[in-house]
Amino acid sequence: MTSTHHILYDPEGRLTAELPPDRTVHEQVVRTALAWSSPLDVPAADVAAIGHLLAGAARVVADSVRLYADRLPEDDGRRLFAELILQEADGRLSQPCTSLNRVHNRARLIRALYERLDRLEAAVPVDESAAAAP
């Protein structure tokens, strides 16, 4: 049996800028990950796989947060808070996901990023938010 895999290399983030985050899927993965209560419930390979999936989702949402935050004035508190959350996200995502605790942390990170995204979408004027969406 053969399979074909396509690897996307997108260092400039053009593909993710054109595609909105799939929030429904992300939230389902977050709920599933947070439902695991014991490391014995989840094989190590699954922990790594879900960690990668959550990292990808977090990066997509973080990119959207950046797009909206960049449209606010530099001295706007909402932008400053978004930048702090993005720094925290960068730090967490740079660590390998080797335990269930880290999977839970990544899931919570996605929730925090979506909360920030919702607030930023509400803060950016309608005409500018249309420009933010590709």
Side-chain angles (χ1 to χ4, degrees), residues 87-100:
Q87 286 175 354
E88 176 70 21
D90 290 341
R92 285 189 191 184
L93 294 172
S94 69
Q95 307 266 329
C97 194
T98 56
S99 69
L100 187 57

Side-chain angles (χ1 to χ4, degrees), residues 13 57 79 81:
R79 179 179 178 156
F81 192 61

Side-chain angles (χ1 to χ4, degrees), residues 24-106:
T24 304
V25 172
H26 294 170
E27 288 174 342
Q28 182 178 11
V29 172
V30 165
R31 281 191 305 275
T32 300
L34 291 174
W36 292 331
S37 59
S38 168
L40 301 175
D41 294 342
V42 189
D46 289 350
V47 168
I50 196 85
H52 288 299
L53 181 63
L54 291 170
R59 286 186 178 98
V60 168
V61 181
D63 288 343
S64 294
V65 169
R66 275 187 189 88
L67 286 172
Y68 279 94
D70 288 346
R71 286 171 171 71
L72 293 172
E74 287 187 26
D75 61 344
D76 190 305
R78 295 168 294 198
R79 179 179 178 156
L80 298 173
F81 192 61
E83 289 171 357
L84 289 173
I85 289 174
L86 290 168
Q87 286 175 354
E88 176 70 21
D90 290 341
R92 285 189 191 184
L93 294 172
S94 69
Q95 307 266 329
C97 194
T98 56
S99 69
L100 187 57
N101 185 45
R102 288 200 175 165
V103 165
H104 287 165
N105 286 338
R106 284 191 181 176

Side-chain angles (χ1 to χ4, degrees), residues 104-115:
H104 287 165
N105 286 338
R106 284 191 181 176
R108 288 184 201 101
L109 173 64
I110 292 171
R111 282 186 172 170
L113 287 166
Y114 269 118
E115 287 173 11

